[in-house]
Amino acid sequence: DTGVSQDPRHKITKRGQNVTFRCDPISEHNRLYWYRQTLGQGPEFLTYFQNEAQLEKSRLLSDRFSAERPKGSFSTLEIQRTEQGDSAMYLCASEGSSYNEQFFGPGTRLTVL
Amino acid sequence: LAKTTQPISMDSYEGQEVNITCSHNNIATNDYITWYQQFPSQGPRFIIQGYKTKVTNEVASLFIPADRKSSTLSLPRVSLSDTAVYYCLVGDRGSTLGRLYFGRGTQLTVWP
């Protein structure tokens, strides 16, 4: 499968714990995005990478959130000291030469107890 | 970025043509119109993109009037598997800040 993959697919954690998610984009895509989606809402932009450079961060991305994309390949999203309000689906997308045609992964569903 | 307005939900029956209209009154000259489809527990999937007039692919057609203040996604002869949320997005395709702004989308339910 040459699409976008995310790991894990599901994560249940207790409030206050740290969690890390991984995204593997389509190999030739140099742009990578993270979104968060809650029930009944559309995905909300979190952050964006062009190769290894993080070019934009949403106001939704508090200081408990950090994202990296070392070497411009896979990306990780870490949430420290999780809160119940962090429960959501975290989606990763990559984009190649066609702007606004983003390819989404299956998402990681986070549940904070 | 231009704001979009689309119906919250629509119902249809198998075999019918479905048209979902999206309003984007503040669309800018450089903006393109893009539609995504999302099934439960999956990420959104790109359907179609256009700038003006009509675009057709193997999945859908996109109709854009001359003033570009609205657009209509047309799904021919829907089946049960077309039940999904459909998002209309408007943005500058040439921008390096390619983040997509999704609204709540239109929940399409296809009945047998």
Side-chain angles (χ1 to χ4, degrees):
Chain A
D1 188 351
T2 57
V4 178
S5 62
Q6 293 186 245
D7 183 70
R9 294 292 307 276
H10 303 274
K11 179 70 176 179
I12 300 174
T13 191
K14 293 182 179 179
R15 188 177 56 183
Q17 297 295 306
N18 299 343
V19 295
T20 300
F21 310 141
R22 177 180 171 122
C23 170
D24 286 90
I26 295 172
S27 58
E28 61 268 26
H29 287 181
N30 59 1
R31 291 186 294 278
L32 185 148
Y33 303 82
W34 284 97
Y35 293 85
R36 181 174 69 184
Q37 185 173 27
T38 55
L39 194 63
Q41 304 296 320
E44 296 173 293
F45 169 79
L46 292 178
T47 190
Y48 156 62
F49 290 85
Q50 173 107 8
N51 298 313
E52 66 276 9
Q54 187 174 17
L55 297 186
E56 188 178 6
K57 294 169 60 174
S58 163
R59 291 173 299 166
L60 293 174
L61 216 63
S62 75
D63 56 7
R64 295 185 297 106
F65 288 70
S66 62
E68 294 182 342
R69 193 183 181 196
K71 304 178 183 178
S73 55
F74 72 92
S75 176
T76 58
L77 177 68
E78 181 183 15
I79 309 174
Q80 296 182 329
R81 305 182 302 282
T82 52
E83 302 173 355
Q84 289 185 324
D86 297 330
S87 295
M89 174 77 84
Y90 290 84
L91 293 162
C92 172
S94 71
E95 185 179 61
S97 58
S98 295
Y99 286 95
N100 289 1
E101 185 175 350
Q102 294 182 11
F103 293 81
F104 283 80
T108 294
R109 182 167 295 283
L110 173 66
T111 302
V112 181
L113 301 176
Chain B
L1 294 173
K3 180 180 177 180
T4 61
T5 303
Q6 51 184 123
I8 295 295
S9 64
M10 294 183 67
D11 292 286
S12 181
Y13 291 97
E14 282 190 292
Q16 291 189 334
E17 179 184 73
V18 171
N19 296 308
I20 306 174
T21 297
C22 178
S23 297
H24 27 80
N25 291 320
N26 296 323
I27 190 169
T29 303
N30 293 333
D31 286 344
Y32 279 73
I33 300 153
T34 310
W35 286 80
Y36 279 76
Q37 174 193 56
Q38 186 176 27
F39 298 111
S41 299
Q42 294 186 24
R45 182 177 74 104
F46 173 90
I47 301 176
I48 197 166
Q49 183 180 84
Y51 183 80
K52 62 180 180 180
T53 64
K54 176 183 175 182
V55 179
T56 298
N57 61 22
E58 64 278 5
V59 176
S61 294
L62 179 59
F63 298 91
I64 306 168
D67 66 5
R68 305 199 327 120
K69 293 184 182 301
S70 67
S71 60
T72 299
L73 175 72
S74 181
L75 305 172
R77 293 189 297 280
V78 294
S79 64
L80 296 177
S81 62
D82 292 315
T83 294
V85 178
Y86 292 82
Y87 297 97
C88 165
L89 300 95
V90 171
D92 183 351
R93 197 172 69 171
S95 172
T96 56
L97 300 179
R99 62 198 181 291
L100 299 176
Y101 283 92
F102 293 81
R104 295 185 63 180
T106 297
Q107 170 66 59
L108 171 66
T109 303
V110 180
W111 302 93

